[in-house]
Amino acid sequence: MTADAILGAVAFDAQGLVPAVAQQFDTGEVLMLAWMNRDAVRETLATGRACYFSRSRGALWRKGETSGQTQRLVELRLDCDGDALLLLVDQHGVACHTGRRDCFYRSARYGEWQEIAAPMVAPERLYGGG
Amino acid sequence: MTADAILGAVAFDAQGLVPAVAQQFDTGEVLMLAWMNRDAVRETLATGRACYFSRSRGALWRKGETSGQTQRLVELRLDCDGDALLLLVDQHGVACHTGRRDCFYRSARYGEWQEIAAPMVAPERLYGGG
């Protein structure tokens, strides 16, 4: 499958990136927000596994390559303006590098950010610190 | 409530913006992705209604001000890196300016984008075209 028709409708920004929201397909949990460039979209569609673009590393980021916490793509969606993607995925393990299930574990309560979720896995275990 | 502690932990980008995902609090639907600046976060917290920053208009965008399709804030969350927000909201009516419930109505299927949701309201009705 060529991804040209898919890529052509996506409004990448001046850096060639588009924000991508990953949502657990069955529970509806919003797992994380990341960024994709053309190659990341192409690879995600070709392999069926979420691949993002790491802005800090300036390189493709095959989600779970190091940690094993992969995301199987269930469906890729595009918004009305073409400038945001939604990935329905099946998250293996945890999405967040802190070991939490999702990245949005801080909630604005009483004028401050309060942690509302604890790590399910120690980050050292995810990234082979031992 | 001062929002200083809240705003201080948010990593706004070089344009002073942060991507914000709006999710229907009870069903889990991802409604839209928009952008917020400091004032938008401050106003959203103060009023309990979602206020974004319109990049095209370069101004605060009080969601639903014209269309009546407001979003009541249920909870504001911040991700691990502090550079993405998740708004749990109660969407009144439809979130998308096309009259659809959410903005992610195109799905990548068979190498092309296919519409998977129809408008629930005619856009003319939302924006007083009549």
Side-chain angles (χ1 to χ4, degrees):
Chain A
M1 182 182 86
T2 172
D4 291 352
I6 297 295
L7 289 167
V10 180
F12 294 95
D13 68 14
Q15 284 76 48
L17 301 175
V18 64
V21 179
Q23 181 181 34
Q24 175 66 27
F25 82 101
D26 49 2
T27 63
E29 296 163 277
V30 173
L31 298 167
M32 53 186 275
L33 185 143
W35 296 80
M36 298 178 92
N37 65 359
R38 281 177 177 74
D39 286 345
V41 174
R42 209 176 272 124
E43 176 162 326
T44 297
L45 288 172
T47 64
R49 286 201 177 191
C51 173
Y52 302 102
F53 183 82
S54 166
R55 295 181 302 171
S56 55
R57 288 189 288 113
L60 287 182
W61 164 32
R62 293 174 181 93
K63 175 73 180 158
E65 195 173 36
T66 308
S67 66
Q69 314 296 290
T70 52
Q71 296 178 338
R72 180 174 64 81
L73 182 72
V74 174
E75 188 163 287
L76 179 66
R77 294 190 187 161
L78 180 66
D79 80 347
C80 49
D81 296 325
D83 60 5
L85 293 170
L86 175 64
L87 282 75
L88 301 183
V89 301
D90 193 9
Q91 171 72 53
H92 180 79
V94 299
C96 186
H97 74 287
T98 64
R100 291 174 176 85
R101 171 69 178 174
D102 71 75
C103 297
F104 295 95
Y105 59 84
R106 290 186 281 182
S107 173
R109 295 183 182 176
Y110 309 106
E112 62 178 23
W113 294 108
Q114 296 191 352
E115 293 195 5
I116 57 171
M120 298 168 66
V121 190
E124 310 85 78
R125 280 196 50 204
L126 292 176
Y127 300 100
Chain B
M1 183 183 84
T2 172
D4 291 351
I6 297 295
L7 288 167
V10 180
F12 294 94
D13 68 14
Q15 283 76 48
L17 302 175
V18 64
V21 180
Q23 180 181 34
Q24 174 65 28
F25 82 101
D26 49 1
T27 63
E29 296 163 276
V30 173
L31 299 167
M32 53 186 276
L33 185 143
W35 295 80
M36 299 178 91
N37 64 0
R38 281 178 178 73
D39 285 345
V41 174
R42 208 177 273 124
E43 177 162 326
T44 297
L45 288 172
T47 64
R49 287 200 177 193
C51 174
Y52 302 103
F53 183 82
S54 166
R55 294 180 303 170
S56 56
R57 289 190 287 112
L60 287 182
W61 164 32
R62 295 175 180 91
K63 176 74 181 156
E65 194 173 38
T66 308
S67 66
Q69 313 296 289
T70 52
Q71 297 177 338
R72 181 174 64 81
L73 182 71
V74 175
E75 188 163 287
L76 178 67
R77 293 189 186 161
L78 180 66
D79 81 347
C80 49
D81 297 325
D83 59 5
L85 293 171
L86 174 64
L87 282 76
L88 301 183
V89 300
D90 193 10
Q91 172 71 53
H92 180 78
V94 300
C96 187
H97 75 286
T98 65
R100 292 174 176 85
R101 172 69 178 172
D102 71 75
C103 297
F104 295 95
Y105 59 84
R106 291 186 281 182
S107 173
R109 296 182 182 177
Y110 310 106
E112 62 178 24
W113 293 109
Q114 295 190 353
E115 294 195 5
I116 57 171
M120 298 168 66
V121 190
E124 311 85 78
R125 281 195 49 204
L126 291 176
Y127 299 101

